[in-house]
Amino acid sequence: MTREEAPDSASHVVVDPAGLPRDEVFDLLSAGVVPRPIAWTSTVGSDGVLNLAPFSFFTVVSAEPPMLSLTIEAAPDGEPKDTLRNIRATGQLVVNLVSDDLADRMSRTSPDYAADVDEFQVAGVTPAASVKVRPPRVAEAGISMECALHTVLTPGSDALVIAEVVAFHVARELFTPGSGHIDLGRLRPLGRIGSRFTRVTDVFPLPARPRPDLPEKVKKEEELPCRMIPSSTTHR
């Protein structure tokens, strides 16, 4: 890897991705964008075969309407992965979040299997019927989001899938009706750190920072102490 010393800091280096091998650029991206949630994505092929695969280049695109994105690399042979092929063919997908107790089963779906392999069976998880799309959700997942395809872009080497969430499924023990509040301590979501994984073991607030032009009385009222919120037990 070619490195140039940063002109304004002896403690950092500047890395120019131009000309670097793809694998080294990928390592920089996957270590620099952390932690990443995992979109355990279920689709169905035109032949009816179920597909389930995890993607961690995944985030929110819009709140109104609710939209998500996931980035899908090509398969090792350069061909589109089954997930992308199915999404393009059907316009539908389900994004299932991965809790730490599903880590091993999620990992079983990471390899590139043949298109006729049902990864639900490989992982030993239960396909549950969706309400608005054809692909099933993972019944064991605490949160699943049924999605309709909005567009597929190819801004670079990988496909960027943007989809609208048309239905949320939330385990009852995680959800507070009327507030949209999710008990993250019970969800215990799994994430990616570089090429490894991480657990969300605690969640904590930070005190609100008032605008400098607010009256002093308002500032003091908003200076609340920061308290650690302990995790509760997993929901399964």
Side-chain angles (χ1 to χ4, degrees), residues 63-79:
E64 189 178 351
M67 302 178 82
L68 306 174
S69 73
L70 60 149
T71 298
I72 303 177
E73 294 182 279
D77 61 2
E79 292 297 311

Side-chain angles (χ1 to χ4, degrees), residues 97-217:
L97 295 192
V98 182
S99 54
D100 61 2
D101 60 325
L102 291 172
D104 179 68
R105 283 181 277 183
M106 177 274 298
S107 181
R108 296 178 207 170
T109 65
S110 296
D112 290 302
Y113 294 96
D116 60 353
V117 173
D118 180 344
E119 285 91 351
F120 276 83
Q121 295 183 7
V122 171
V125 293
T126 309
S130 297
V131 296
K132 292 191 176 182
V133 299
R134 186 181 176 198
R137 61 186 175 87
V138 174
E140 292 82 359
I143 299 176
S144 298
M145 293 168 277
E146 298 182 27
C147 298
L149 177 64
H150 180 275
T151 189
V152 178
L153 303 174
T154 312
S157 59
D158 306 324
L160 176 65
V161 174
I162 300 176
E164 180 178 347
V165 180
V166 294
F168 291 89
H169 297 261
V170 184
R172 291 186 183 277
E173 60 267 33
L174 301 178
F175 188 61
T176 303
S179 71
H181 174 71
I182 303 295
D183 187 337
L184 295 176
R186 281 182 172 270
L187 178 62
R188 296 182 65 86
L190 198 69
R192 293 300 300 268
I193 295 283
S195 61
R196 305 182 75 179
F197 295 88
T198 183
R199 296 181 177 91
V200 178
T201 55
D202 57 72
V203 182
F204 62 91
L206 288 174
R209 303 296 179 184
R211 299 197 316 268
D213 59 334
L214 289 177
E216 192 64 29
K217 181 177 183 297

Side-chain angles (χ1 to χ4, degrees), residues 27-47:
D27 288 345
L28 286 167
L29 283 171
S30 61
V33 182
V34 291
R36 302 188 306 277
I38 300 170
W40 204 10
T41 305
S42 47
T43 59
V44 60
S46 55
D47 55 1

